[in-house]
Amino acid sequence: EAQVTQNPRYLITVTGKKLTVTCSQNMNHEYMSWYRQDPGLGLRQIYYSMNVEVTDKGDVPEGYKVSRKEKRNFPLILESPSPNQTSLYFCASSLQGANYEQFFGPGTRLTVL
Amino acid sequence: DAKTTQPNSMESNEEEPVHLPCNHSTISGTDYIHWYRQLPSQGPEYVIHGLTSNVNNRMASLAIAEDRKSSTLILHRATLRDAAVYYCILRGAGGTSYGKLTFGQGTILTVHP
């Protein structure tokens, strides 16, 4: 089944403890992206990747890192999480280009205490 | 980035058509218009997209104004399962501009039995 998977789905952590949220897709998509969703603010793009080893900032990249070493994986790294990064995170992927739909993962709910 | 404007909320009755508007007055000639929806407690899912001509698929129809400054997502017969937040976004086709995406807050659609 074609899908985008995220792990973990739920995570409670403490301020400053490094964490990684994994994202993997099995559709051979070149493009992958991370979003966060907060009440009243909608979906905001954090980082995106056009292809392996190519990443760029979205609208809210501060406090996050990403890497794209393989085509199928696009992990989101929080080196020193803070409470304002408590949010619902979505990963998405698509073929390369504007004429293709994005497929979204199920989301990761992160709480930073 | 070209932005979109949508009403915060709309209501409909079950089995009636729903027309969800989106304004994108700063759209460029190569921007595709994409629609996604997010059901409660789920990740966004693709609905439809188009460039210039009206588009139909099994989920909905997309009507694009002749000047492309606005578009309308049409759900022909709303069901309770169509209650969701609907997002209209632009995805640029020029060069690498398809990567950066701005979702906005979307339209909350309520469907009454």
Side-chain angles (χ1 to χ4, degrees), chain A residues 20-76:
Chain A
T20 299
V21 184
T22 65
C23 172
S24 184
Q25 49 93 6
N26 62 0
M27 296 168 278
N28 202 34
H29 286 167
E30 295 86 4
Y31 176 88
M32 296 185 75
S33 182
W34 275 103
Y35 301 88
R36 62 177 288 174
Q37 186 170 39
D38 303 289
L41 296 176
L43 280 159
R44 294 180 293 167
Q45 191 179 43
I46 304 171
Y47 269 96
Y48 60 95
S49 170
M50 300 288 204
N51 214 325
V52 175
E53 302 291 1
V54 181
T55 62
D56 211 341
K57 297 177 181 178
D59 288 324
V60 288
E62 297 78 18
Y64 305 94
K65 283 177 58 177
V66 292
S67 69
R68 187 90 183 275
K69 294 185 171 58
E70 318 166 83
K71 200 171 189 179
R72 65 182 295 127
N73 296 323
F74 189 43
L76 180 69

Coordinates of all heavy atoms in Angstrom, one line a residue, chain A residues 20-76:
Chain A
T20 N 14.1 12.9 17.4 CA 14.0 12.8 16.0 C 12.6 12.2 15.7 O 12.3 11.2 16.3 CB 15.1 11.9 15.3 OG1 16.4 12.5 15.6 CG2 14.9 11.8 13.8
V21 N 11.9 12.8 14.7 CA 10.7 12.2 14.2 C 11.0 11.7 12.8 O 11.4 12.5 12.0 CB 9.5 13.3 14.2 CG1 8.2 12.6 13.7 CG2 9.4 13.9 15.6
T22 N 10.7 10.4 12.6 CA 11.0 9.9 11.3 C 9.8 10.0 10.4 O 8.7 10.0 10.8 CB 11.5 8.4 11.5 OG1 10.3 7.6 11.9 CG2 12.6 8.3 12.4
C23 N 10.2 10.0 9.1 CA 9.2 10.1 8.0 C 9.7 9.2 6.9 O 10.8 9.4 6.5 CB 8.9 11.5 7.5 SG 7.8 11.5 6.1
S24 N 8.9 8.3 6.4 CA 9.3 7.4 5.4 C 8.1 7.2 4.4 O 7.0 7.2 4.8 CB 9.7 6.0 5.9 OG 10.1 5.2 4.9
Q25 N 8.5 7.2 3.1 CA 7.5 7.0 2.0 C 7.9 5.9 1.1 O 9.1 5.7 0.8 CB 7.2 8.3 1.3 CG 8.4 9.1 0.8 CD 8.8 8.7 -0.6 OE1 8.2 8.0 -1.4 NE2 10.0 9.3 -1.0
N26 N 6.9 5.1 0.6 CA 7.3 4.0 -0.3 C 6.8 4.2 -1.7 O 6.6 3.2 -2.4 CB 6.6 2.7 0.3 CG 5.1 2.8 0.4 OD1 4.5 3.8 0.0 ND2 4.5 1.7 0.9
M27 N 6.7 5.5 -2.1 CA 6.2 5.8 -3.5 C 7.3 6.3 -4.4 O 7.0 6.8 -5.5 CB 5.0 6.8 -3.3 CG 3.9 6.2 -2.6 SD 2.6 7.5 -2.1 CE 3.4 8.1 -0.6
N28 N 8.5 6.3 -4.0 CA 9.6 6.7 -4.8 C 9.5 8.2 -5.1 O 9.9 8.7 -6.2 CB 9.8 5.9 -6.1 CG 11.2 6.0 -6.6 OD1 12.2 6.1 -5.9 ND2 11.3 6.0 -7.9
H29 N 8.9 9.0 -4.2 CA 8.7 10.4 -4.4 C 10.0 11.2 -4.2 O 10.8 10.9 -3.3 CB 7.7 10.9 -3.5 CG 6.3 10.5 -3.9 ND1 5.2 10.7 -3.0 CD2 5.8 10.0 -5.0 CE1 4.1 10.2 -3.6 NE2 4.5 9.8 -4.8
E30 N 10.3 12.2 -5.1 CA 11.4 13.0 -4.9 C 11.2 14.1 -3.9 O 12.1 14.4 -3.1 CB 11.8 13.7 -6.3 CG 12.2 12.8 -7.4 CD 11.0 12.3 -8.2 OE1 9.8 12.7 -7.9 OE2 11.2 11.5 -9.1
Y31 N 10.0 14.6 -3.8 CA 9.7 15.7 -2.9 C 9.2 15.3 -1.6 O 8.3 14.4 -1.5 CB 8.7 16.6 -3.6 CG 8.2 17.8 -2.8 CD1 8.9 19.0 -2.8 CD2 7.1 17.7 -2.0 CE1 8.5 20.1 -2.0 CE2 6.6 18.8 -1.2 CZ 7.3 20.0 -1.3 OH 6.9 21.1 -0.5
M32 N 9.7 15.8 -0.5 CA 9.1 15.6 0.8 C 9.1 16.9 1.6 O 9.9 17.8 1.4 CB 10.0 14.5 1.6 CG 9.9 13.1 0.9 SD 10.8 11.8 1.8 CE 9.6 11.5 3.1
S33 N 8.2 16.9 2.6 CA 8.0 18.2 3.3 C 7.5 17.9 4.7 O 6.9 16.9 5.0 CB 7.0 19.1 2.6 OG 6.9 20.3 3.2
W34 N 7.9 18.8 5.6 CA 7.4 18.8 7.0 C 6.5 20.0 7.3 O 6.9 21.1 6.9 CB 8.6 18.7 8.0 CG 9.1 17.4 8.3 CD1 10.2 16.8 7.8 CD2 8.5 16.4 9.1 NE1 10.4 15.6 8.2 CE2 9.3 15.3 9.1 CE3 7.3 16.3 9.8 CZ2 9.0 14.1 9.7 CZ3 7.0 15.1 10.5 CH2 7.9 14.0 10.5
Y35 N 5.4 19.8 8.0 CA 4.5 20.9 8.4 C 4.3 20.7 9.9 O 4.3 19.6 10.5 CB 3.2 20.8 7.7 CG 3.3 20.9 6.2 CD1 3.5 19.7 5.4 CD2 3.2 22.1 5.5 CE1 3.6 19.8 4.1 CE2 3.3 22.2 4.2 CZ 3.5 21.0 3.4 OH 3.6 21.1 2.1
R36 N 3.9 21.9 10.5 CA 3.4 21.8 11.9 C 2.0 22.5 11.9 O 1.7 23.3 11.0 CB 4.3 22.5 12.9 CG 4.5 24.0 12.7 CD 5.4 24.5 13.8 NE 4.7 24.6 15.1 CZ 5.2 25.0 16.3 NH1 6.5 25.3 16.3 NH2 4.5 25.0 17.4
Q37 N 1.1 22.0 12.7 CA -0.2 22.5 12.8 C -0.5 22.9 14.2 O -0.5 22.1 15.1 CB -1.2 21.5 12.3 CG -2.6 22.0 12.2 CD -3.6 21.1 11.4 OE1 -3.5 19.9 11.6 NE2 -4.4 21.6 10.6
D38 N -0.9 24.1 14.4 CA -1.3 24.7 15.7 C -2.7 25.3 15.6 O -3.0 25.9 14.6 CB -0.2 25.7 16.1 CG 1.2 25.1 16.2 OD1 1.4 24.3 17.0 OD2 2.0 25.5 15.3
P39 N -3.4 25.2 16.7 CA -4.8 25.8 16.7 C -4.8 27.3 16.3 O -4.0 28.1 16.8 CB -5.2 25.7 18.2 CG -4.4 24.5 18.7 CD -3.1 24.6 18.0
G40 N -5.6 27.6 15.3 CA -5.8 29.0 14.8 C -4.7 29.4 13.8 O -4.8 30.5 13.3
L41 N -3.7 28.6 13.6 CA -2.6 28.9 12.7 C -2.5 28.1 11.4 O -1.7 28.3 10.6 CB -1.3 28.9 13.4 CG -1.1 29.9 14.6 CD1 0.2 29.6 15.3 CD2 -1.2 31.3 14.1
G42 N -3.4 27.1 11.4 CA -3.4 26.2 10.2 C -2.1 25.4 10.0 O -1.3 25.2 11.0
L43 N -1.8 25.0 8.8 CA -0.6 24.2 8.5 C 0.5 25.2 8.1 O 0.3 26.0 7.2 CB -0.9 23.2 7.4 CG -1.6 22.0 7.7 CD1 -2.2 21.4 6.5 CD2 -0.6 21.0 8.3
R44 N 1.7 25.0 8.7 CA 2.8 25.9 8.3 C 4.0 25.0 7.9 O 4.3 24.0 8.7 CB 3.2 26.8 9.4 CG 2.1 27.9 9.7 CD 2.5 28.8 10.9 NE 2.6 28.1 12.2 CZ 3.2 28.5 13.2 NH1 3.7 29.7 13.2 NH2 3.2 27.8 14.4
Q45 N 4.6 25.3 6.9 CA 5.7 24.5 6.4 C 7.0 24.7 7.1 O 7.4 25.9 7.3 CB 5.9 24.7 4.9 CG 6.8 23.7 4.2 CD 7.0 24.0 2.7 OE1 7.1 25.2 2.3 NE2 6.9 23.0 1.9
I46 N 7.7 23.7 7.5 CA 8.9 23.8 8.3 C 10.1 23.7 7.4 O 11.0 24.7 7.3 CB 9.0 22.7 9.4 CG1 7.8 22.8 10.3 CG2 10.3 22.9 10.2 CD1 7.7 21.6 11.2
Y47 N 10.3 22.6 6.7 CA 11.3 22.4 5.7 C 10.8 21.5 4.6 O 9.8 20.8 4.8 CB 12.5 21.6 6.4 CG 13.6 22.5 7.0 CD1 13.6 22.8 8.4 CD2 14.6 23.0 6.2 CE1 14.6 23.5 8.9 CE2 15.6 23.7 6.8 CZ 15.6 24.0 8.1 OH 16.6 24.8 8.7
Y48 N 11.5 21.6 3.5 CA 11.1 20.7 2.4 C 12.4 20.2 1.7 O 13.5 20.8 1.8 CB 10.1 21.3 1.4 CG 10.6 22.6 0.7 CD1 11.2 22.5 -0.5 CD2 10.5 23.8 1.3 CE1 11.6 23.7 -1.2 CE2 10.9 25.0 0.7 CZ 11.5 24.9 -0.6 OH 11.9 26.0 -1.2
S49 N 12.2 19.2 0.9 CA 13.3 18.6 0.2 C 12.9 18.2 -1.2 O 11.9 17.5 -1.4 CB 13.8 17.3 0.9 OG 14.8 16.6 0.1
M50 N 13.6 18.8 -2.2 CA 13.3 18.5 -3.6 C 13.8 17.1 -4.0 O 13.3 16.5 -4.9 CB 14.0 19.6 -4.5 CG 13.5 21.0 -4.2 SD 11.8 21.3 -4.7 CE 11.9 23.0 -4.9
N51 N 14.9 16.7 -3.4 CA 15.5 15.4 -3.7 C 16.5 15.1 -2.7 O 16.8 15.8 -1.8 CB 16.0 15.4 -5.2 CG 15.9 14.1 -5.9 OD1 16.0 13.0 -5.3 ND2 15.6 14.1 -7.2
V52 N 17.2 13.9 -2.9 CA 18.3 13.5 -2.0 C 19.3 14.6 -1.9 O 19.7 15.2 -2.9 CB 18.9 12.2 -2.4 CG1 20.1 11.8 -1.6 CG2 17.8 11.1 -2.4
E53 N 19.7 14.9 -0.7 CA 20.7 15.9 -0.4 C 20.3 17.4 -0.7 O 21.2 18.3 -0.8 CB 22.0 15.6 -1.1 CG 22.6 14.2 -0.7 CD 23.1 14.2 0.7 OE1 23.0 15.1 1.5 OE2 23.6 13.1 1.1
V54 N 19.1 17.6 -1.0 CA 18.6 19.0 -1.4 C 17.5 19.3 -0.4 O 16.4 18.7 -0.5 CB 18.1 19.1 -2.8 CG1 17.6 20.5 -3.1 CG2 19.1 18.6 -3.8
T55 N 17.7 20.3 0.5 CA 16.7 20.7 1.4 C 16.6 22.2 1.5 O 17.6 22.9 1.1 CB 17.0 20.2 2.9 OG1 18.2 20.7 3.3 CG2 17.1 18.7 2.9
D56 N 15.5 22.7 1.9 CA 15.3 24.2 2.0 C 14.3 24.6 3.0 O 13.5 23.7 3.4 CB 14.9 24.7 0.6 CG 15.4 26.2 0.4 OD1 15.8 26.8 1.4 OD2 15.4 26.6 -0.8
K57 N 14.4 25.8 3.5 CA 13.5 26.3 4.6 C 12.1 26.6 4.1 O 11.9 27.1 3.0 CB 14.1 27.5 5.2 CG 15.5 27.3 5.9 CD 16.1 28.6 6.4 CE 17.4 28.3 7.0 NZ 18.0 29.6 7.5
G58 N 11.2 26.3 5.0 CA 9.8 26.7 4.7 C 9.6 28.0 5.5 O 10.5 28.8 5.7
D59 N 8.4 28.2 6.0 CA 8.0 29.4 6.7 C 8.5 29.5 8.2 O 8.7 30.5 8.7 CB 6.5 29.6 6.6 CG 6.1 30.0 5.2 OD1 6.8 30.7 4.6 OD2 5.0 29.6 4.8
V60 N 8.6 28.3 8.8 CA 8.9 28.3 10.2 C 10.1 27.3 10.5 O 9.9 26.3 11.3 CB 7.7 28.0 11.1 CG1 6.7 29.1 11.1 CG2 7.0 26.7 10.6
P61 N 11.3 27.5 10.0 CA 12.3 26.5 10.2 C 13.1 26.6 11.5 O 13.9 25.7 11.9 CB 13.3 26.9 9.1 CG 13.1 28.3 8.9 CD 11.7 28.6 9.2
E62 N 12.9 27.7 12.3 CA 13.7 27.9 13.5 C 13.5 26.8 14.5 O 12.4 26.5 14.9 CB 13.4 29.3 14.1 CG 13.7 30.5 13.2 CD 12.6 30.7 12.2 OE1 11.5 30.2 12.3 OE2 12.9 31.4 11.2
G63 N 14.6 26.3 15.0 CA 14.6 25.2 16.0 C 14.5 23.8 15.5 O 14.5 22.9 16.2
Y64 N 14.5 23.7 14.1 CA 14.4 22.4 13.5 C 15.6 22.1 12.5 O 16.2 23.1 12.0 CB 13.1 22.2 12.7 CG 11.9 22.5 13.5 CD1 11.3 23.8 13.5 CD2 11.3 21.5 14.2 CE1 10.1 24.0 14.2 CE2 10.1 21.7 14.9 CZ 9.6 23.0 14.9 OH 8.4 23.2 15.6
K65 N 15.9 20.9 12.4 CA 16.9 20.4 11.3 C 16.3 19.3 10.6 O 15.5 18.5 11.1 CB 18.2 20.0 12.0 CG 19.1 21.1 12.5 CD 20.4 20.6 13.1 CE 21.2 19.7 12.3 NZ 22.4 19.2 12.9
V66 N 16.7 19.1 9.3 CA 16.3 18.0 8.5 C 17.5 17.4 7.8 O 18.6 18.1 7.7 CB 15.2 18.3 7.5 CG1 13.9 18.7 8.2 CG2 15.7 19.5 6.6
S67 N 17.4 16.2 7.3 CA 18.4 15.7 6.4 C 17.7 14.8 5.4 O 16.6 14.2 5.7 CB 19.4 14.9 7.2 OG 18.8 13.7 7.7
R68 N 18.3 14.6 4.3 CA 17.7 13.8 3.2 C 18.9 13.0 2.6 O 19.4 13.3 1.5 CB 17.0 14.6 2.2 CG 16.2 13.8 1.2 CD 14.8 13.5 1.6 NE 14.1 12.7 0.7 CZ 13.4 13.1 -0.4 NH1 13.5 14.4 -0.8 NH2 12.8 12.3 -1.2
K69 N 19.2 11.9 3.3 CA 20.3 11.1 2.8 C 19.8 10.0 1.9 O 20.6 9.4 1.1 CB 21.0 10.4 4.0 CG 21.8 11.5 4.9 CD 22.6 10.8 6.0 CE 23.5 11.8 6.7 NZ 22.7 12.9 7.3
E70 N 18.6 9.6 2.0 CA 18.0 8.6 1.1 C 16.7 9.1 0.6 O 16.0 10.0 1.3 CB 17.7 7.3 1.9 CG 18.7 6.8 2.9 CD 18.1 5.7 3.8 OE1 18.1 4.6 3.3 OE2 17.6 6.1 4.8
K71 N 16.2 8.6 -0.5 CA 15.0 9.1 -1.1 C 13.8 8.9 -0.3 O 12.9 9.7 -0.2 CB 14.8 8.5 -2.5 CG 13.9 9.2 -3.4 CD 14.0 8.6 -4.8 CE 13.3 9.5 -5.8 NZ 13.3 8.9 -7.2
R72 N 13.7 7.8 0.4 CA 12.5 7.4 1.1 C 12.3 8.0 2.5 O 11.2 8.1 3.0 CB 12.4 5.9 1.2 CG 13.4 5.2 2.1 CD 13.3 3.7 2.1 NE 12.0 3.4 2.7 CZ 11.1 2.6 2.2 NH1 11.3 2.0 1.0 NH2 10.0 2.3 2.8
N73 N 13.4 8.5 3.1 CA 13.4 9.0 4.4 C 13.7 10.5 4.5 O 14.6 11.0 3.9 CB 14.4 8.3 5.3 CG 14.0 6.8 5.4 OD1 12.8 6.4 5.5 ND2 15.0 5.9 5.4
F74 N 12.9 11.2 5.4 CA 13.1 12.6 5.7 C 12.9 12.9 7.1 O 11.8 13.4 7.5 CB 12.2 13.4 4.8 CG 12.4 14.9 4.7 CD1 13.7 15.4 4.6 CD2 11.3 15.8 4.7 CE1 13.9 16.8 4.5 CE2 11.5 17.1 4.6 CZ 12.8 17.6 4.5
P75 N 13.9 12.6 8.0 CA 13.7 12.8 9.4 C 13.7 14.3 9.8 O 14.4 15.1 9.3 CB 14.9 12.1 10.0 CG 15.9 12.1 9.0 CD 15.2 12.0 7.7
L76 N 12.9 14.6 10.8 CA 12.8 16.0 11.4 C 13.5 15.9 12.8 O 13.2 15.1 13.6 CB 11.4 16.4 11.6 CG 11.2 17.8 12.2 CD1 11.6 18.9 11.2 CD2 9.7 18.0 12.6

